[in-house]
Amino acid sequence: MIDINKLNPEKIKENFNINWLRPENVPLNIHKYLIFKKHFEKIKNKSKLLEVGCGNGINTFFFLGGKFDFNFDFYHNSNTDFFFKNKDIFDFSKKNLKVIVKKRPKIIFDLVIDLKKNLISNAKSLNISKQYLVKDCNKKIIFKDKYDFIYSNIIYWLKNPYKSILEISNHLNKNGKFLFLLPNENFIKYCDSYTKTGKTWDLINRGRKKTMQIIINQASFEKWLKKNKFKIVSKEQLFSSLTLKIWDFGLRPISPFLIKMSNSITLKSRTRIKEEWCNKLFPIVKEVTENELLYGPKKGGYTSYLLTKNNDL
């Protein structure tokens, strides 16, 4: 259980500054951050660390304790032209992008991997890892090293999640930990665009359900884990009904136009508008985030698992 009284509201504000044009992402990011932080803080010095699916590195930077300057805005580094063809707007790399940070992470990953070359290029600019690798994780995963801590937020995007869990876990050192999230049986109760049919729901979903390769039944999944000699060190549910219902729609449909408009004005005007936007909307974002931390663990739509391989079974 996450104690919201120990959450500094500044962390919510920091993440809102990053996601100012998509505020519905903040409650999800903060809950994931707190779970990651709880387990990451227990890692010993000189541990070998791997992230599978780092994306553009923004969330990884935040999870590791990095802090951006308010004036840094990654929406500058995006391409919304093919948004309605379901393309990733961040699969884009702007030349001479100036990254402005207030604080860099003290501990970084030894290796991060992602499928998209542009995203890896952006992650490099944030200095979140010692090594970076472009790799399709749907193909056989072979690394020369083993790791003490592996984190992934993309297992449910992979074509064969069960096989991927087995392959990734083969790269754990003895007593190494593997942390990942999966949507569970509650997810489809909360996100209407993933279950309801019709053109309206297809437009709202924007092809996202095609990328979700697994929605687990927790009891069945945990039987599979036990059968395959995994030990569950920690299990936590997250993402409440309210959080996911807001996220399922949110500002997503109009975000490409907000991004284009904000990218078309002067930096001075953009900063002024962003400051007012973040200040006036922060009470709402904070309230929804705190609601998530109170109720997300109760029948949340995702489950985080921290596993270790139990070779004695």
Side-chain angles (χ1 to χ4, degrees):
M1 179 70 71
I2 300 294
D3 184 354
I4 67 170
N5 295 316
K6 293 182 179 180
L7 174 63
N8 185 343
E10 284 300 310
K11 296 306 295 184
I12 303 176
K13 192 171 290 186
E14 285 175 33
N15 201 264
F16 186 25
N17 290 343
I18 298 169
N19 290 280
W20 70 291
L21 295 176
R22 291 290 306 281
E24 67 269 21
N25 288 335
V26 176
L28 291 86
N29 288 340
I30 290 294
H31 205 157
K32 286 193 289 185
Y33 156 74
L34 289 171
I35 290 173
F36 178 90
K37 180 173 180 283
K38 180 171 72 171
H39 299 307
F40 195 76
E41 284 180 338
K42 297 175 183 176
I43 294 171
K44 297 177 182 178
N45 290 335
K46 298 184 180 179
S47 293
K48 295 280 287 184
L49 313 173
L50 166 67
E51 181 176 18
V52 178
C54 65
N56 61 14
I58 292 287
N59 282 337
T60 304
F61 181 88
F62 179 79
F63 286 8
L64 291 173
K67 185 176 180 179
F68 291 105
D69 185 275
F70 180 81
N71 291 312
F72 175 66
D73 192 335
F74 216 81
Y75 290 111
H76 275 303
N77 191 60
S78 62
N79 181 0
T80 61
D81 291 345
F82 303 101
F83 176 89
F84 291 101
K85 292 185 178 180
N86 301 337
K87 299 296 183 182
D88 181 355
I89 68 168
F90 292 114
D91 187 7
F92 177 77
S93 192
K94 185 177 181 179
K95 291 183 178 179
N96 302 319
L97 177 71
K98 188 177 180 181
V99 179
I100 313 169
V101 301
K102 293 184 73 172
K103 177 186 174 184
R104 291 203 176 272
K106 292 180 180 179
I107 301 174
I108 60 176
F109 282 95
D110 290 277
L111 173 67
V112 295
I113 63 178
D114 200 88
L115 171 64
K116 298 175 181 176
K117 185 177 179 181
N118 283 328
L119 298 187
I120 283 289
S121 175
N122 294 329
K124 280 184 179 179
S125 71
L126 302 178
N127 192 30
I128 58 170
S129 182
K130 297 171 186 175
Q131 289 183 290
Y132 303 82
L133 180 65
V134 177
K135 183 174 181 60
D136 183 353
C137 291
N138 287 305
K139 298 178 181 178
K140 192 165 181 65
I141 300 170
I142 301 175
F143 304 119
K144 64 179 182 179
D145 294 326
K146 289 189 178 289
Y147 297 88
D148 302 297
F149 181 81
I150 301 175
Y151 173 69
S152 182
N153 189 39
I154 66 161
I155 298 297
Y156 53 91
W157 289 348
L158 300 176
K159 292 177 183 177
N160 191 331
Y162 290 98
K163 182 181 177 182
S164 296
I165 290 169
L166 292 173
E167 287 194 355
I168 293 170
S169 67
N170 285 335
H171 298 283
L172 286 172
N173 277 324
K174 185 178 180 180
N175 300 320
K177 305 295 192 303
F178 182 16
L179 177 65
F180 59 88
L181 327 179
L182 292 174
N184 63 41
E185 62 270 20
N186 296 318
F187 177 85
I188 54 177
K189 299 176 186 176
Y190 305 153
C191 292
D192 288 338
S193 79
Y194 283 79
T195 56
K196 294 188 177 179
T197 58
K199 189 173 181 179
T200 300
W201 293 110
D202 288 344
L203 288 170
I204 291 172
N205 186 264
R206 194 179 154 259
R208 288 174 290 140
K209 59 187 172 185
K210 293 180 181 178
T211 67
M212 189 166 279
Q213 304 300 322
I214 186 173
I215 297 175
I216 63 166
N217 173 281
Q218 293 173 88
S220 298
F221 180 68
E222 288 160 24
K223 286 181 182 177
W224 178 85
L225 289 175
K226 185 176 181 179
K227 179 182 176 182
N228 286 278
K229 298 185 178 181
F230 287 103
K231 178 183 177 183
I232 299 174
V233 179
S234 178
K235 169 191 172 182
E236 293 166 273
Q237 287 181 254
L238 60 167
F239 307 162
S240 70
S241 172
L242 176 63
T243 296
L244 287 175
K245 285 183 182 300
I246 292 172
W247 168 85
D248 195 21
F249 192 80
L251 295 186
R252 183 180 289 105
I254 63 172
S255 63
F257 309 107
L258 291 172
I259 293 168
K260 280 186 177 181
M261 283 192 291
S262 61
N263 285 348
S264 69
I265 60 179
T266 65
L267 181 59
K268 184 177 180 181
S269 295
R270 181 193 183 97
T271 302
R272 178 178 53 79
I273 292 169
K274 182 183 175 184
E275 284 179 347
E276 185 176 6
W277 176 291
C278 290
N279 287 336
K280 294 290 176 63
L281 292 180
F282 180 69
I284 299 174
V285 173
K286 181 174 179 288
E287 183 67 23
V288 176
T289 301
E290 291 181 347
N291 179 284
E292 160 59 26
L293 299 180
L294 280 171
Y295 301 108
K298 303 170 185 177
K299 297 184 179 180
Y302 273 63
T303 309
S304 77
Y305 288 97
L306 183 72
L307 305 180
T308 189
K309 261 308 194 51
N310 193 342
N311 295 316
D312 297 329
L313 291 177

